[in-house]
Amino acid sequence: THMAPPPVSKPFDPRNPSGEDRNNPVVLKPRLVNDTPFSGEAKYNLFINYYIDKNIERQKELVKCVIENAKNFDTIFVIADFESFEDIQGLVNFELTPIITDGKRTTWLEYFDLISICNAPNNINIIANLDIVIPKETLANCIPYFKTESKRVLALTRWDINADGSNTFFNRADSQDVWIFNGAVEKGIDAPFGLGLPGTDNAIAHRLHVIGYEVLNPSLSLKTYHQHLVMVRNYLNEKGEQKERGIAPPYKILVPSN
């Protein structure tokens, strides 16, 4: 039988964390940046930007990914408009944490601000594309990367799920779908653009590198799985061209490794 979904939490707006009059200036909490290597028991947080796809079969793929990730994470922060959040919460037997927005594409800077608000000691904070599944073993195996160096980012290239259930590595140094942080991200990064745009992965990698992060792509051993069998590509127009302009260089290329 289908279990009733848990009650929806009070919507949280990262741009108005106090819940006060939106016309008043908003002061975000200070960033809780981890300045020491990781120690203790990890808490895994996932940050995703959810939407309802016009294609029913594609929508089923997106919901499947949220359901699978709900088995592996302590908290899933869902950035969405209210209608979209109610949709996914009604389909998942796991209390999601709503971040209610106007439905526009979330920028990297907004993700980083949100992480800084929600961060706590021993948090592993992960930003991922919506159609990605991150297994428990990948979460557990990322911890050693942070035991010797706190200022490190794991930016992972995906493994594509095939129709027969097998997986194929998307062997590209210019494409990453998952970003893993130990704690929050330091201030000083200029990233007013979002995920899913041409060049965005290598542009954000370069910006993180500039402020002192070691950015690694150990995706041959840390596997994340891309669920996209439906032949729908919302980022292309009828001519097969990108609908949106890409992010200009400088870039940092991340060659996959073990």
Side-chain angles (χ1 to χ4, degrees):
T1 59
H2 177 69
M3 298 179 64
V8 175
S9 305
K10 180 181 178 181
F12 173 74
D13 185 345
R15 290 161 290 190
N16 185 22
S18 66
E20 298 174 353
D21 185 350
R22 292 172 184 248
N23 293 321
N24 292 333
V26 174
V27 179
L28 297 177
K29 293 181 181 179
R31 293 181 182 274
L32 302 176
V33 178
N34 294 15
D35 57 3
T36 58
F38 184 91
S39 64
E41 184 176 353
K43 178 182 178 183
Y44 300 101
N45 300 321
L46 177 63
F47 296 81
I48 53 175
N49 201 162
Y50 183 79
Y51 72 97
I52 300 174
D53 200 282
K54 295 178 182 179
N55 183 284
I56 295 176
E57 294 306 312
R58 177 59 177 152
Q59 177 63 15
K60 289 178 182 179
E61 290 186 326
L62 301 179
V63 171
K64 180 179 180 180
C65 291
V66 178
I67 291 173
E68 289 300 312
N69 283 323
K71 301 174 184 177
N72 304 329
F73 282 86
D74 295 290
T75 307
I76 297 182
F77 295 92
V78 178
I79 306 167
D81 59 51
F82 194 76
E83 178 185 359
S84 297
F85 179 78
E86 284 193 317
D87 173 79
I88 188 58
Q89 183 62 92
L91 298 170
V92 178
N93 185 31
F94 177 87
E95 186 172 1
L96 304 168
T97 301
I99 311 295
I100 302 303
T101 67
D102 54 12
K104 294 181 180 179
R105 187 193 298 272
T106 304
T107 69
W108 285 102
L109 188 56
E110 287 170 336
Y111 273 114
F112 296 157
D113 283 340
L114 177 57
I115 288 174
S116 74
I117 294 169
C118 303
N119 187 46
N122 294 334
N123 276 197
I124 297 297
N125 296 308
I126 300 180
I127 300 169
N129 284 327
L130 184 56
D131 56 2
I132 294 292
V133 175
I134 306 169
K136 283 185 177 180
E137 56 266 27
T138 294
L139 296 177
N141 291 336
C142 78
I143 297 299
Y145 289 90
F146 300 114
K147 284 189 175 292
T148 58
E149 174 59 58
S150 63
K151 204 168 180 182
R152 178 175 282 166
V153 183
L154 305 182
L156 304 180
T157 300
R158 69 183 187 252
W159 289 71
D160 289 321
I161 299 174
N162 301 318
D164 62 0
S166 62
N167 308 298
T168 302
F169 185 52
F170 189 66
N171 193 10
R172 294 278 296 270
D174 61 348
S175 176
Q176 290 78 42
D177 285 63
V178 175
W179 299 78
I180 305 177
F181 298 88
N182 174 23
V185 183
E186 285 193 4
K187 290 183 178 181
I189 188 166
D190 179 28
F193 51 90
L195 282 70
L197 298 171
T200 187
D201 300 336
N202 299 123
I204 194 65
H206 179 267
R207 285 159 173 75
L208 288 166
H209 174 74
V210 165
I211 64 170
Y213 278 89
E214 181 183 16
V215 188
L216 304 176
N217 182 9
S219 51
L220 297 178
S221 56
L222 297 184
K223 297 183 179 182
T224 59
Y225 298 101
H226 179 226
Q227 182 72 52
H228 201 159
L229 294 175
V230 178
M231 296 306 293
V232 172
R233 299 295 184 269
N234 294 320
Y235 51 86
L236 300 178
N237 61 24
E238 295 178 353
K239 297 180 180 180
E241 302 167 334
Q242 293 280 349
K243 291 181 180 178
E244 299 180 85
R245 291 182 60 185
I247 308 303
Y251 296 148
K252 181 173 177 58
I253 302 299
L254 301 173
V255 177
S257 64
N258 282 305

